[in-house]
Amino acid sequence: MGNSPAQRPSGAAAASEFAIELIKINKSFGPVHANKDIDLAIRRGSVHGIVGENGAGKSTLMSILYGFYTADSGEIRVDGTTHAITDSRHALALGIGMVHQHFMLVDNFSILENVVLGVEDNALLGPSLTRARKELVRLAKEYRLDVDPDAIIEDVSVGTQQRVEILKALYRGADVLILDEPTGVLTPSEADDLFRVLKELRDQGKTIILITHKLREIMAITDYVSVMRQGEMVATLKTSETDPGAIAELMVGRRVLLEVDKGPATPGEVFLSVENLVVKDDLGITRVKDVSFTVRSGEIVGIAGVAGNGQSELLESVSGMRDQSSGVVSLKGKPLSLEGDDGAHRAREAGLAHVPEDRQRMGLVTAFEEWENAILGYQDDPAYGKGWILDIDAARAKARERIAQFDIRPANERLKTANFSGGNQQKIVLAREMSSNPDVLIVGQPTRGVDIGAIEFIHNQIIKMRDAGKAILLVSVELDEIRSLADRILVMFDGHIVGEADPATATEGELGLMMAGISEKTAPAPKAAEGKTK
């Protein structure tokens, strides 16, 4: 078996009150100075949050600690002793484990096989699995991480998969656990369960480092929080002595409005109607199952749900990017013809704009310059020329206008889009689609990977479009975002819309039950569960 937790001193037996000390850490990638003289001390037996905007350097810093990168200069101390961590195996040997945002599990292996994978005793797997089973049962009991060792990964919930990742790290002897955006794929109840587990680990002497952009989670679970900005460490605070507004201001260097400022909606006529929609994925599996709903002018309808419950296929179908098996999508009372390779083009011509969930795969050509992406899909607009002749000067001038309007950085329309940060790539897509003056705007994950300051801006732009009489369909895995922006909430589970809620009155618990498919509102007959507004 690999390293055991019992093999390494912890708690009172350790040499230092700090589990981890990072001293004057520097790391550059070409001209980009990602970490600048970073000092950070993580107290043993604490939950320590690290926050910062995109590009602040927090992921680079944790990658240095876990051995993915080597610092250009500086010192790493583990339990008070200096170490030059060369790779992730070295980090694990020192008791540092990491739970990645995207799980590193083999879907068709059992939980036990995933836990032991890579740290088997020898070529005879049987004895390794027998010993591992005993250790897994012990760890699960000690830390209240109940799992069935024989369950297959693809058959268990996302929350259980995350438990397996934690157990993998504990099995390998981790005393320090780094978690990268751990609640991004969890329901609210699963997130609450994760917080319970983290508190249990902390109370048992483990040290938790939590990378998250969700300030609510920082306040709920951490003992300390460190704030990074532009590669520098600007503050480390006791969480109990600060608040979300103060943390946000430290992150961006100015005051940030954390609450969405919006008045009541004034819905008008139905602009978007979806009736009995059925959609399959690339493998022929039905992901959207007889879904019906409407979106009116002047309102935002949010679709909540854990990722993978049909939201992506729904958006792709309604926007013309994926063929539907059956059903009707209508825009202002007229059925849309969305089949075929040019379905998205016909949807745009009818007045529907789409901000896709995956900006790099579906929203941008990253090898193109910014101005080229700024007109992508709209290059036939008369504003950019006639027929086959493209007015490049006009297109670049329009791109500069949008760069200024949407605060896209750097302000260079000739820069390759691959060289913009993820948040600024998102702004490029939003600027293009919002500026097309659509009747219906479909937005998937509007602030995924976006800095907290830019989130405020994007939310305000979405509200402005609603107030201008546009119909907006919004999908986000961020429940707080759905509750803040939406005028009505539809909840998807297993391809069905299982309920509708008023964001002003629905509690997180009620929405979470629906998202988990265990709400009493869930009905077996799709007709009764379609959440259709008449």
Side-chain angles (χ1 to χ4, degrees):
M1 191 178 71
N3 293 323
S4 164
Q7 292 178 311
R8 192 174 294 102
S10 62
S16 170
E17 65 176 304
F18 298 112
I20 299 293
E21 295 170 88
L22 303 175
I23 302 167
K24 294 290 182 277
I25 297 293
N26 281 276
K27 181 65 177 178
S28 294
F29 300 94
V32 178
H33 200 168
N35 287 161
K36 307 172 186 176
D37 287 329
I38 297 291
D39 289 326
L40 175 64
I42 308 291
R43 291 184 179 276
R44 183 176 313 284
S46 69
V47 180
H48 195 120
I50 300 179
V51 297
E53 293 189 282
N54 295 325
K58 56 189 185 297
S59 294
T60 298
L61 188 66
M62 289 301 99
S63 293
I64 290 170
L65 178 58
Y66 193 57
F68 283 150
Y69 298 144
T70 300
D72 298 332
S73 63
E75 182 181 353
I76 300 175
R77 294 178 186 170
V78 182
D79 294 336
T81 301
T82 298
H83 293 275
I85 298 176
T86 55
D87 54 34
S88 58
R89 286 182 177 271
H90 189 183
L92 279 166
L94 293 172
I96 302 167
M98 189 165 186
V99 177
H100 300 273
Q101 185 175 6
H102 303 290
F103 303 149
M104 307 290 186
L105 301 172
V106 180
D107 285 347
N108 59 350
F109 277 22
S110 70
I111 288 175
L112 178 62
E113 289 167 337
N114 271 280
V115 168
V116 78
L117 187 64
V119 287
E120 304 89 342
D121 286 335
N122 51 54
L124 297 175
L125 191 57
S128 292
L129 289 175
T130 299
R131 284 188 287 273
R133 183 182 294 273
K134 292 180 181 178
E135 179 67 7
L136 181 58
V137 169
R138 183 190 71 79
L139 289 169
K141 182 178 180 181
E142 181 176 356
Y143 298 108
R144 295 173 62 196
L145 285 161
D146 299 328
V147 296
D148 175 5
D150 298 312
I152 304 301
I153 288 295
E154 62 187 359
D155 295 333
V156 302
S157 69
V158 174
T160 299
Q161 291 180 29
Q162 190 169 64
R163 288 185 174 200
V164 175
E165 286 283 19
I166 293 172
L167 283 166
K168 276 176 57 181
L170 294 174
Y171 181 77
R172 287 156 173 76
D175 284 327
V176 176
L177 275 175
I178 305 167
L179 290 94
D180 184 9
E181 299 288 355
T183 64
V185 293
L186 303 182
T187 67
S189 60
E190 286 173 330
D192 289 342
D193 186 59
L194 172 65
F195 294 164
R196 179 198 60 76
V197 168
L198 296 183
K199 289 177 180 177
E200 187 79 24
L201 289 166
R202 177 195 62 190
D203 294 345
Q204 295 283 346
K206 301 297 181 184
T207 304
I208 312 296
I209 302 175
L210 181 66
I211 305 171
T212 180
H213 68 280
K214 300 178 181 178
L215 299 185
R216 181 178 62 85
E217 294 179 0
I218 288 291
M219 301 307 299
I221 186 64
T222 65
D223 303 300
Y224 299 90
V225 56
S226 292
V227 184
M228 296 184 67
R229 186 170 74 239
Q230 297 180 354
E232 298 180 339
M233 187 66 68
V234 296
T236 293
L237 309 163
K238 266 192 173 182
T239 308
S240 60
E241 297 176 357
T242 188
D243 60 71
I247 296 172
E249 186 171 350
L250 285 168
M251 287 170 63
V252 302
R254 63 174 177 82
R255 291 190 62 82
V256 178
L257 182 64
L258 295 177
E259 298 293 328
V260 176
D261 184 15
K262 66 171 186 175
T266 55
E269 64 177 296
V270 172
F271 270 15
L272 176 67
S273 173
V274 176
E275 299 178 65
N276 307 115
L277 188 65
V278 177
V279 184
K280 295 181 179 181
D281 65 12
D282 294 337
L283 298 175
I285 299 170
T286 301
R287 294 298 187 186
V288 179
K289 304 171 182 177
D290 202 18
V291 163
S292 299
F293 62 89
T294 60
V295 186
R296 297 176 179 272
S297 64
E299 76 168 345
I300 300 171
V301 173
I303 296 183
V306 177
N309 278 277
Q311 306 98 306
S312 297
E313 290 79 8
L314 173 66
L315 290 194
E316 291 171 12
S317 178
V318 173
S319 64
M321 297 182 68
R322 178 181 293 276
D323 287 349
Q324 60 211 45
S325 298
S326 61
V328 178
V329 176
S330 301
L331 193 67
K332 300 178 77 169
K334 297 179 179 180
L336 291 176
S337 174
L338 299 174
E339 283 72 28
D341 293 339
D342 59 346
H345 176 70
R346 292 196 297 273
R348 279 195 298 272
E349 287 189 325
L352 185 148
H354 176 214
V355 178
E357 293 182 298
D358 188 333
R359 55 181 169 261
Q360 292 193 348
R361 188 170 65 89
M362 295 187 290
L364 298 166
V365 179
T366 56
F368 283 10
E369 294 180 3
E370 192 281 339
W371 73 270
E372 294 172 299
N373 276 291
I375 65 171
L376 200 62
Y378 299 93
Q379 62 270 18
D380 295 331
D381 190 303
Y384 305 129
K386 296 181 180 180
W388 293 96
I389 301 174
L390 181 66
D391 188 340
I392 295 176
D393 289 340
R396 289 175 180 170
K398 181 61 71 173
R400 288 193 293 272
E401 287 180 20
R402 293 175 183 169
I403 284 172
Q405 181 185 356
F406 282 78
D407 192 26
I408 297 168
R409 304 179 190 179
N412 182 359
E413 80 279 6
R414 299 300 309 277
L415 188 66
K416 298 286 187 183
T417 310
N419 294 326
F420 288 85
S421 70
N424 282 290
Q425 289 177 352
Q426 183 78 348
K427 286 184 181 180
I428 293 170
V429 179
L430 285 159
R432 181 184 69 214
E433 301 301 324
M434 287 182 169
S435 299
S436 69
N437 193 31
D439 292 315
V440 175
L441 176 67
I442 300 177
V443 187
Q445 314 302 340
T447 57
R448 174 178 282 168
V450 175
D451 301 336
I452 192 167
I455 288 173
E456 176 189 25
F457 175 83
I458 289 170
H459 286 174
N460 286 338
Q461 293 300 311
I462 292 173
I463 295 298
K464 283 182 181 178
M465 290 201 72
R466 180 204 71 167
D467 292 345
K470 311 301 183 182
I472 299 172
L473 179 63
L474 171 74
V475 169
S476 175
V477 295
E478 303 288 355
L479 188 54
D480 286 345
E481 183 166 61
I482 289 284
R483 295 177 71 192
S484 297
L485 286 175
D487 302 303
R488 288 191 292 125
I489 299 176
L490 308 177
V491 181
M492 282 194 77
F493 174 76
D494 190 30
H496 295 286
I497 290 181
V498 296
E500 180 174 333
D502 180 349
T505 57
T507 67
E508 185 175 277
E510 291 168 345
L511 292 169
L513 285 173
M514 283 190 275
M515 290 166 64
I518 55 176
S519 168
E520 61 184 14
K521 294 185 180 181
T522 303
K527 289 286 186 182
E530 65 187 18
K532 184 176 181 180
T533 302
K534 297 182 179 180

